[in-house]
Amino acid sequence: MTRGRADGFQKKRLVTSVCVAVILLCFLFLYYGSLFGSQNRGASALEYGSRSLRKLGSSYLGGDEDADLGSKQDETSTKLWQEDGEDDVVPKSYPVCDDRHSELIPCLDRNLIYQMRLKLDLSLMEHYERHCPQPERRYNCVIPPPAGYKVPIKWPKSRDQVWKSNIPHTHLAHEKSDQNWMVVKGEKIVFPGGGTHFHYGADKYIASLANMLNFSNNNFNNEGRVRTVLDVGCGVASFGAYLLSSDIITMSLAPNDVHQNQIQFALERGIPAYLGVLGTMRLPYPSRSFELAHCSRCRIDWLQRDGILLLELDRLLRPGGYFAYSSPEAYAQDEEDLKIWREMSALVERMCWKIAAKRNQTVIWVKPLTNDCYMEREPGTQPTLCRSNDDPDAVWGVPMEACITTYSDQTQRAKGSGLVPWPARLTAPPPRLADLGYSNEMFEKDTEVWQQRVESYWNLLSSKIKPNTLRNLMDMKANFGSFGAALKSKDVWVMNVVPEDGPNTLKLIYDRGLIGTVHSWCEAFSTYPRTYDLLHAWTVFSDIKKKGCSAEDLLIEMDRILRPTGFIIIRDKRPVVEFIKKYLPALHWEVVATADPESDPELDADDIVLFIKKKMWLTSESLRDSE
């Protein structure tokens, strides 16, 4: 690929010579600067980034379209697991990203979309969907924390308050001041538990929903039958936050739209959340994942494109699952709202949903338990049933379709999902195991093995971390979800990530009462920087090697999403781990513990477990600002 302008051979030579000279000077400055810094810094836990290379860092994020964008793969990157005879070239440090990119989400960067001149339909929300940069446009800089950044407030206090300096955005507090989303109080942002529809508290609103459905003691978990919930257009996720005390875990979903940073606030609070939008592509969750979907004033046009967005919720709901809808259309008497209500009622009736309860400003529909209603509809009824060869669990890059997802023969026979109530379902073999050709014995063995591994992890880490330090965890290759299941007794939640090209085990994870998403680690994850406390990478680097993707890109991505003072557990082959160790100084990471076959007989002969901590570091400028 030719980069920059082609204005003649002499001009090329001149530009090339200047670039080489600048790069050489920069690396000399870095080398001697880091040497001088190491002599003066001592054993301090606070490190400093290379402020002098900020502009170099920003070029990979997209600047002038005629600029030489550079390519890590061509010039500055090292190949992971070099062939014999090749030299390892490991950077002494990485440039620091420009301040403009302190909250960069590479695959949800609208500035990049503009530069790439993508022709997107704004009315369909395509600009809020994932559009990842090509390899030559990826950044090779590390993202610094904002000025004054502090170690996040620990859970459960974080549910109700966060440091303002960590997310220095107060526009939502002013915009939603009458709805009690959030309030600025000195150095903190406080969350009273309100929302657009529930100004007086999510807890009271949740109790009213449970009462509408006649759940015992107004407890929304319905004796363990409601465990996984999808909250669409979640705001700062107070609905999901207050469901946690009922043993319900919510995937709080919202785009990075005009209410910017709402998902960032949710994750800073320690609440499960994900950046996503109901647009043109399926959400990255399998069919029949949630007992309930919720939309409270979420500003979604459910009637558009023959009800395609409502049909996507239908795909995600379990048999007998609920959709709780709190919106003017459910109660207002003006002509426009009445028209929408009539059309929406007709649509859900054709989808075989029934009204389970309707009170005041909320309606709750329930999805059928079997296919019987679908088969009894008049011929030609819209929406149609999905094709028999359609895989309802295929979600990575799969467009939505305006059709009804029918149940499998197994679900039809069982007249429901066949799941036992929570918490028993966490360890009970999921009914959909057979779909993937797995036996109950394989599942039980996996659960047992990871219980032992997680206990070993915790024993090694317990002396390295303070109580309640960990809250937001990610299992980067979750398989059956047994890593997350083994953490049930801890006050944490786990985002279980399943590779897009492997066995689709994510539906088993949801059947266990856990949550997660499909993803390719050749791309950036859909989250803000500094949102996870611990990343668990089991053979993830070996997997991307097989795909031919950049391990260096993945290391930088892991640094982006990990909080300062957070931890990484890498479990992989010895050559992989040894190579990754070379990158630790450049990333401001340090090894805090290791396990090998000699210290842990459970490990295979060539396996290593590496425990890494991300240091707290600042640029000299952010340090000055914080002072």
mmCIF file with all atom_site columns, all heavy atoms in Angstrom, residues 54 128 153 331 375 463 486 532 536 542 545 575 615:
data_model
loop_
_atom_site.group_PDB
_atom_site.id
_atom_site.type_symbol
_atom_site.label_atom_id
_atom_site.label_alt_id
_atom_site.label_comp_id
_atom_site.label_asym_id
_atom_site.label_entity_id
_atom_site.label_seq_id
_atom_site.pdbx_PDB_ins_code
_atom_site.Cartn_x
_atom_site.Cartn_y
_atom_site.Cartn_z
_atom_site.occupancy
_atom_site.B_iso_or_equiv
_atom_site.pdbx_formal_charge
_atom_site.auth_seq_id
_atom_site.auth_comp_id
_atom_site.auth_asym_id
_atom_site.auth_atom_id
_atom_site.pdbx_PDB_model_num
ATOM 1   N N   . ARG A 1 54  ? 3.836   12.440  21.831 1.00 0.00 ? 54  ARG A N   1
ATOM 2   C CA  . ARG A 1 54  ? 2.388   12.468  21.723 1.00 0.00 ? 54  ARG A CA  1
ATOM 3   C C   . ARG A 1 54  ? 1.932   12.617  20.271 1.00 0.00 ? 54  ARG A C   1
ATOM 4   O O   . ARG A 1 54  ? 1.003   11.972  19.840 1.00 0.00 ? 54  ARG A O   1
ATOM 5   C CB  . ARG A 1 54  ? 1.797   13.587  22.553 1.00 0.00 ? 54  ARG A CB  1
ATOM 6   C CG  . ARG A 1 54  ? 1.872   13.278  24.021 1.00 0.00 ? 54  ARG A CG  1
ATOM 7   C CD  . ARG A 1 54  ? 0.777   13.970  24.775 1.00 0.00 ? 54  ARG A CD  1
ATOM 8   N NE  . ARG A 1 54  ? 0.594   13.270  26.028 1.00 0.00 ? 54  ARG A NE  1
ATOM 9   C CZ  . ARG A 1 54  ? -0.449  13.398  26.786 1.00 0.00 ? 54  ARG A CZ  1
ATOM 10  N NH1 . ARG A 1 54  ? -1.428  14.177  26.419 1.00 0.00 ? 54  ARG A NH1 1
ATOM 11  N NH2 . ARG A 1 54  ? -0.555  12.727  27.907 1.00 0.00 ? 54  ARG A NH2 1
ATOM 12  N N   . TYR A 1 128 ? -23.476 4.226   14.867 1.00 0.00 ? 128 TYR A N   1
ATOM 13  C CA  . TYR A 1 128 ? -23.212 3.798   16.238 1.00 0.00 ? 128 TYR A CA  1
ATOM 14  C C   . TYR A 1 128 ? -22.777 2.334   16.310 1.00 0.00 ? 128 TYR A C   1
ATOM 15  O O   . TYR A 1 128 ? -22.522 1.810   17.390 1.00 0.00 ? 128 TYR A O   1
ATOM 16  C CB  . TYR A 1 128 ? -24.442 3.995   17.122 1.00 0.00 ? 128 TYR A CB  1
ATOM 17  C CG  . TYR A 1 128 ? -24.815 5.448   17.342 1.00 0.00 ? 128 TYR A CG  1
ATOM 18  C CD1 . TYR A 1 128 ? -26.136 5.862   17.300 1.00 0.00 ? 128 TYR A CD1 1
ATOM 19  C CD2 . TYR A 1 128 ? -23.834 6.408   17.595 1.00 0.00 ? 128 TYR A CD2 1
ATOM 20  C CE1 . TYR A 1 128 ? -26.494 7.189   17.511 1.00 0.00 ? 128 TYR A CE1 1
ATOM 21  C CE2 . TYR A 1 128 ? -24.179 7.739   17.801 1.00 0.00 ? 128 TYR A CE2 1
ATOM 22  C CZ  . TYR A 1 128 ? -25.505 8.123   17.753 1.00 0.00 ? 128 TYR A CZ  1
ATOM 23  O OH  . TYR A 1 128 ? -25.839 9.437   17.963 1.00 0.00 ? 128 TYR A OH  1
ATOM 24  N N   . ILE A 1 153 ? -13.357 4.160   43.322 1.00 0.00 ? 153 ILE A N   1
ATOM 25  C CA  . ILE A 1 153 ? -14.006 3.823   44.590 1.00 0.00 ? 153 ILE A CA  1
ATOM 26  C C   . ILE A 1 153 ? -14.435 2.361   44.541 1.00 0.00 ? 153 ILE A C   1
ATOM 27  O O   . ILE A 1 153 ? -14.888 1.861   43.513 1.00 0.00 ? 153 ILE A O   1
ATOM 28  C CB  . ILE A 1 153 ? -15.207 4.747   44.825 1.00 0.00 ? 153 ILE A CB  1
ATOM 29  C CG1 . ILE A 1 153 ? -14.712 6.190   44.999 1.00 0.00 ? 153 ILE A CG1 1
ATOM 30  C CG2 . ILE A 1 153 ? -16.037 4.308   46.033 1.00 0.00 ? 153 ILE A CG2 1
ATOM 31  C CD1 . ILE A 1 153 ? -15.818 7.236   45.012 1.00 0.00 ? 153 ILE A CD1 1
ATOM 32  N N   . TYR A 1 331 ? -49.402 4.723   27.671 1.00 0.00 ? 331 TYR A N   1
ATOM 33  C CA  . TYR A 1 331 ? -50.423 5.326   28.529 1.00 0.00 ? 331 TYR A CA  1
ATOM 34  C C   . TYR A 1 331 ? -50.974 6.660   28.014 1.00 0.00 ? 331 TYR A C   1
ATOM 35  O O   . TYR A 1 331 ? -52.090 7.054   28.368 1.00 0.00 ? 331 TYR A O   1
ATOM 36  C CB  . TYR A 1 331 ? -49.866 5.544   29.938 1.00 0.00 ? 331 TYR A CB  1
ATOM 37  C CG  . TYR A 1 331 ? -48.744 6.557   30.017 1.00 0.00 ? 331 TYR A CG  1
ATOM 38  C CD1 . TYR A 1 331 ? -49.007 7.912   30.214 1.00 0.00 ? 331 TYR A CD1 1
ATOM 39  C CD2 . TYR A 1 331 ? -47.418 6.164   29.890 1.00 0.00 ? 331 TYR A CD2 1
ATOM 40  C CE1 . TYR A 1 331 ? -47.974 8.843   30.276 1.00 0.00 ? 331 TYR A CE1 1
ATOM 41  C CE2 . TYR A 1 331 ? -46.384 7.087   29.956 1.00 0.00 ? 331 TYR A CE2 1
ATOM 42  C CZ  . TYR A 1 331 ? -46.675 8.419   30.147 1.00 0.00 ? 331 TYR A CZ  1
ATOM 43  O OH  . TYR A 1 331 ? -45.656 9.338   30.205 1.00 0.00 ? 331 TYR A OH  1
ATOM 44  N N   . MET A 1 375 ? -47.691 -21.524 14.506 1.00 0.00 ? 375 MET A N   1
ATOM 45  C CA  . MET A 1 375 ? -48.213 -22.456 13.510 1.00 0.00 ? 375 MET A CA  1
ATOM 46  C C   . MET A 1 375 ? -49.710 -22.240 13.243 1.00 0.00 ? 375 MET A C   1
ATOM 47  O O   . MET A 1 375 ? -50.231 -22.650 12.198 1.00 0.00 ? 375 MET A O   1
ATOM 48  C CB  . MET A 1 375 ? -47.980 -23.896 13.969 1.00 0.00 ? 375 MET A CB  1
ATOM 49  C CG  . MET A 1 375 ? -46.519 -24.226 14.216 1.00 0.00 ? 375 MET A CG  1
ATOM 50  S SD  . MET A 1 375 ? -45.516 -23.923 12.732 1.00 0.00 ? 375 MET A SD  1
ATOM 51  C CE  . MET A 1 375 ? -44.031 -23.256 13.444 1.00 0.00 ? 375 MET A CE  1
ATOM 52  N N   . SER A 1 463 ? -2.241  -11.988 48.339 1.00 0.00 ? 463 SER A N   1
ATOM 53  C CA  . SER A 1 463 ? -1.272  -11.133 49.029 1.00 0.00 ? 463 SER A CA  1
ATOM 54  C C   . SER A 1 463 ? -0.911  -9.893  48.219 1.00 0.00 ? 463 SER A C   1
ATOM 55  O O   . SER A 1 463 ? -0.238  -8.987  48.724 1.00 0.00 ? 463 SER A O   1
ATOM 56  C CB  . SER A 1 463 ? 0.002   -11.929 49.343 1.00 0.00 ? 463 SER A CB  1
ATOM 57  O OG  . SER A 1 463 ? 0.620   -12.355 48.138 1.00 0.00 ? 463 SER A OG  1
ATOM 58  N N   . ALA A 1 486 ? -16.749 -20.083 38.879 1.00 0.00 ? 486 ALA A N   1
ATOM 59  C CA  . ALA A 1 486 ? -15.944 -20.351 40.073 1.00 0.00 ? 486 ALA A CA  1
ATOM 60  C C   . ALA A 1 486 ? -15.818 -19.128 40.973 1.00 0.00 ? 486 ALA A C   1
ATOM 61  O O   . ALA A 1 486 ? -15.387 -19.250 42.123 1.00 0.00 ? 486 ALA A O   1
ATOM 62  C CB  . ALA A 1 486 ? -14.552 -20.834 39.660 1.00 0.00 ? 486 ALA A CB  1
ATOM 63  N N   . TYR A 1 532 ? -11.951 -2.215  33.158 1.00 0.00 ? 532 TYR A N   1
ATOM 64  C CA  . TYR A 1 532 ? -11.892 -3.545  33.781 1.00 0.00 ? 532 TYR A CA  1
ATOM 65  C C   . TYR A 1 532 ? -10.749 -3.623  34.787 1.00 0.00 ? 532 TYR A C   1
ATOM 66  O O   . TYR A 1 532 ? -9.681  -3.054  34.592 1.00 0.00 ? 532 TYR A O   1
ATOM 67  C CB  . TYR A 1 532 ? -11.754 -4.639  32.710 1.00 0.00 ? 532 TYR A CB  1
ATOM 68  C CG  . TYR A 1 532 ? -13.072 -4.906  32.015 1.00 0.00 ? 532 TYR A CG  1
ATOM 69  C CD1 . TYR A 1 532 ? -13.442 -4.183  30.878 1.00 0.00 ? 532 TYR A CD1 1
ATOM 70  C CD2 . TYR A 1 532 ? -13.971 -5.833  32.520 1.00 0.00 ? 532 TYR A CD2 1
ATOM 71  C CE1 . TYR A 1 532 ? -14.667 -4.395  30.267 1.00 0.00 ? 532 TYR A CE1 1
ATOM 72  C CE2 . TYR A 1 532 ? -15.205 -6.053  31.918 1.00 0.00 ? 532 TYR A CE2 1
ATOM 73  C CZ  . TYR A 1 532 ? -15.539 -5.332  30.791 1.00 0.00 ? 532 TYR A CZ  1
ATOM 74  O OH  . TYR A 1 532 ? -16.764 -5.532  30.194 1.00 0.00 ? 532 TYR A OH  1
ATOM 75  N N   . HIS A 1 536 ? -8.508  -12.035 32.092 1.00 0.00 ? 536 HIS A N   1
ATOM 76  C CA  . HIS A 1 536 ? -8.004  -13.404 32.113 1.00 0.00 ? 536 HIS A CA  1
ATOM 77  C C   . HIS A 1 536 ? -7.868  -13.891 30.675 1.00 0.00 ? 536 HIS A C   1
ATOM 78  O O   . HIS A 1 536 ? -8.854  -13.974 29.937 1.00 0.00 ? 536 HIS A O   1
ATOM 79  C CB  . HIS A 1 536 ? -8.969  -14.314 32.893 1.00 0.00 ? 536 HIS A CB  1
ATOM 80  C CG  . HIS A 1 536 ? -8.565  -15.751 32.896 1.00 0.00 ? 536 HIS A CG  1
ATOM 81  N ND1 . HIS A 1 536 ? -9.331  -16.744 32.316 1.00 0.00 ? 536 HIS A ND1 1
ATOM 82  C CD2 . HIS A 1 536 ? -7.469  -16.368 33.405 1.00 0.00 ? 536 HIS A CD2 1
ATOM 83  C CE1 . HIS A 1 536 ? -8.738  -17.922 32.485 1.00 0.00 ? 536 HIS A CE1 1
ATOM 84  N NE2 . HIS A 1 536 ? -7.604  -17.719 33.137 1.00 0.00 ? 536 HIS A NE2 1
ATOM 85  N N   . SER A 1 542 ? -2.078  -17.505 21.784 1.00 0.00 ? 542 SER A N   1
ATOM 86  C CA  . SER A 1 542 ? -1.843  -18.620 20.863 1.00 0.00 ? 542 SER A CA  1
ATOM 87  C C   . SER A 1 542 ? -2.897  -18.640 19.765 1.00 0.00 ? 542 SER A C   1
ATOM 88  O O   . SER A 1 542 ? -2.605  -18.951 18.604 1.00 0.00 ? 542 SER A O   1
ATOM 89  C CB  . SER A 1 542 ? -1.865  -19.948 21.627 1.00 0.00 ? 542 SER A CB  1
ATOM 90  O OG  . SER A 1 542 ? -0.715  -20.074 22.435 1.00 0.00 ? 542 SER A OG  1
ATOM 91  N N   . LYS A 1 545 ? -2.303  -15.904 17.155 1.00 0.00 ? 545 LYS A N   1
ATOM 92  C CA  . LYS A 1 545 ? -1.140  -16.260 16.322 1.00 0.00 ? 545 LYS A CA  1
ATOM 93  C C   . LYS A 1 545 ? -1.606  -17.102 15.130 1.00 0.00 ? 545 LYS A C   1
ATOM 94  O O   . LYS A 1 545 ? -1.174  -16.881 13.991 1.00 0.00 ? 545 LYS A O   1
ATOM 95  C CB  . LYS A 1 545 ? -0.123  -17.038 17.155 1.00 0.00 ? 545 LYS A CB  1
ATOM 96  C CG  . LYS A 1 545 ? 1.056   -17.559 16.333 1.00 0.00 ? 545 LYS A CG  1
ATOM 97  C CD  . LYS A 1 545 ? 1.897   -18.524 17.125 1.00 0.00 ? 545 LYS A CD  1
ATOM 98  C CE  . LYS A 1 545 ? 3.011   -19.122 16.260 1.00 0.00 ? 545 LYS A CE  1
ATOM 99  N NZ  . LYS A 1 545 ? 3.788   -20.145 16.975 1.00 0.00 ? 545 LYS A NZ  1
ATOM 100 N N   . PRO A 1 575 ? 6.760   -20.259 25.368 1.00 0.00 ? 575 PRO A N   1
ATOM 101 C CA  . PRO A 1 575 ? 7.332   -19.281 24.435 1.00 0.00 ? 575 PRO A CA  1
ATOM 102 C C   . PRO A 1 575 ? 6.482   -18.019 24.317 1.00 0.00 ? 575 PRO A C   1
ATOM 103 O O   . PRO A 1 575 ? 7.015   -16.914 24.167 1.00 0.00 ? 575 PRO A O   1
ATOM 104 C CB  . PRO A 1 575 ? 7.387   -20.047 23.104 1.00 0.00 ? 575 PRO A CB  1
ATOM 105 C CG  . PRO A 1 575 ? 7.385   -21.492 23.489 1.00 0.00 ? 575 PRO A CG  1
ATOM 106 C CD  . PRO A 1 575 ? 6.545   -21.580 24.712 1.00 0.00 ? 575 PRO A CD  1
ATOM 107 N N   . LYS A 1 615 ? 0.828   -0.626  36.330 1.00 0.00 ? 615 LYS A N   1
ATOM 108 C CA  . LYS A 1 615 ? 1.207   0.430   37.259 1.00 0.00 ? 615 LYS A CA  1
ATOM 109 C C   . LYS A 1 615 ? 0.370   1.682   37.022 1.00 0.00 ? 615 LYS A C   1
ATOM 110 O O   . LYS A 1 615 ? -0.137  1.908   35.927 1.00 0.00 ? 615 LYS A O   1
ATOM 111 C CB  . LYS A 1 615 ? 2.690   0.774   37.093 1.00 0.00 ? 615 LYS A CB  1
ATOM 112 C CG  . LYS A 1 615 ? 3.637   -0.382  37.385 1.00 0.00 ? 615 LYS A CG  1
ATOM 113 C CD  . LYS A 1 615 ? 5.069   0.030   37.125 1.00 0.00 ? 615 LYS A CD  1
ATOM 114 C CE  . LYS A 1 615 ? 6.037   -1.120  37.337 1.00 0.00 ? 615 LYS A CE  1
ATOM 115 N NZ  . LYS A 1 615 ? 7.434   -0.726  37.061 1.00 0.00 ? 615 LYS A NZ  1
#
